[in-house]
Amino acid sequence: MSIPVTYIVLAVLLSILAQFGLLYSQLNSQVPTGRDAEAPPAIACPIGVNAEAISRFRTFLQFPTVSSSTTVDHISEGSAEAFQNAEAFLEKSYPLVWSRLEVEKVGTGGHTFLLKWQGSDDDELPILFISHYDVVPAIVTSANAVGGEWLHPPFSGAWSDDGYIYGRGTLDVKYSVIALLEAVTVLLKEGFTPERSLYFTFGHDEEVR
């Protein structure tokens, strides 16, 4: 599977706008509800095209985090190191998130992340953002390795001359893990504190549940 670089950038920006636009509107008003409620004012995207974010996304694609329904921890045989390396990569790549938010590893085998960003008003209901970083197996044969299903190795994160990024997880759904972490990092750097607490969960076995 592949996805154009422009789509990745657009996905990151739209994710930030869609998922965090609500938070910005809460700074001065309550969340509008009902059919006749006024829409919140438009906001400017806090970041532009970020080559480093794209690089982090491509690196994240290179971990073959294949889940399985037949193992106790839902990690496929031979993939334990890939999961460990992927988890370590996120912590190393987003130090501000890991130092400022509460981070737990939960779920079967303790490979699912649960992050909490404490809000300023405990009376407000929290918001939960969900994603996952496990993927389904990628079968590469001589028939589909070139010119077929996979034009590039499925865990290469290759950025090809045709403008596409290739890799298992580009669309389902490692991009949203990176988009959320990039957005939180930007907001933390800007000194933003959400009104209501925010939770983020990045599952390791969504594909087999």
Side-chain angles (χ1 to χ4, degrees):
M1 185 174 289
S2 63
I3 184 170
V5 174
T6 52
Y7 287 8
I8 294 293
V9 174
L10 181 60
V12 171
L13 300 183
L14 287 178
S15 176
I16 294 170
L17 288 173
Q19 300 187 55
F20 285 93
L22 178 62
L23 303 179
Y24 273 96
S25 69
Q26 289 174 349
L27 290 175
N28 299 308
S29 64
Q30 295 295 320
V31 180
T33 58
R35 181 176 299 177
D36 300 324
E38 240 182 79
I43 62 170
C45 181
I47 62 172
V49 176
N50 188 324
E52 293 182 356
I54 298 298
S55 176
R56 285 187 283 270
F57 171 65
R58 292 178 61 203
T59 299
F60 197 41
L61 293 175
Q62 294 171 23
F63 301 107
T65 50
V66 179
S67 54
S68 171
S69 61
T70 62
T71 59
V72 174
D73 57 6
H74 294 167
I75 291 176
S76 67
E77 293 185 14
S79 296
E81 185 177 359
F83 275 87
Q84 293 168 1
N85 291 339
E87 293 161 20
F89 170 77
L90 291 179
E91 181 175 359
K92 180 180 179 181
S93 299
Y94 300 98
L96 198 57
V97 175
W98 255 249
S99 64
R100 298 279 294 277
L101 274 63
E102 298 176 24
V103 181
E104 295 182 65
K105 296 177 77 173
V106 299
T108 306
H111 294 282
T112 287
F113 287 105
L114 177 63
L115 291 74
K116 179 185 179 182
W117 192 357
Q118 179 63 46
S120 59
D121 189 348
D122 286 333
D123 292 332
E124 293 287 348
L125 293 175
I127 297 175
L128 172 65
F129 299 94
I130 61 174
S131 187
H132 67 90
Y133 68 101
D134 63 310
V135 297
V136 297
I139 307 301
V140 179
T141 67
S142 58
N144 69 17
V146 178
E149 181 183 359
W150 292 106
L151 301 180
H152 299 274
F155 296 106
S156 64
W159 190 346
S160 67
D161 293 337
D162 60 8
Y164 285 77
I165 289 177
Y166 288 81
R168 184 67 97 203
T170 50
L171 292 173
D172 186 13
V173 67
K174 287 182 175 180
Y175 84 89
S176 65
V177 174
I178 297 300
L180 287 167
L181 290 173
E182 292 289 339
V184 172
T185 297
V186 169
L187 292 173
L188 285 170
K189 287 180 178 179
E190 292 183 347
F192 176 77
T193 299
E195 181 178 337
R196 62 187 70 215
S197 293
L198 306 181
Y199 287 85
F200 305 85
T201 180
F202 305 137
H204 81 287
D205 57 359
E206 186 276 343
E207 296 289 359
V208 298
R209 286 187 176 275

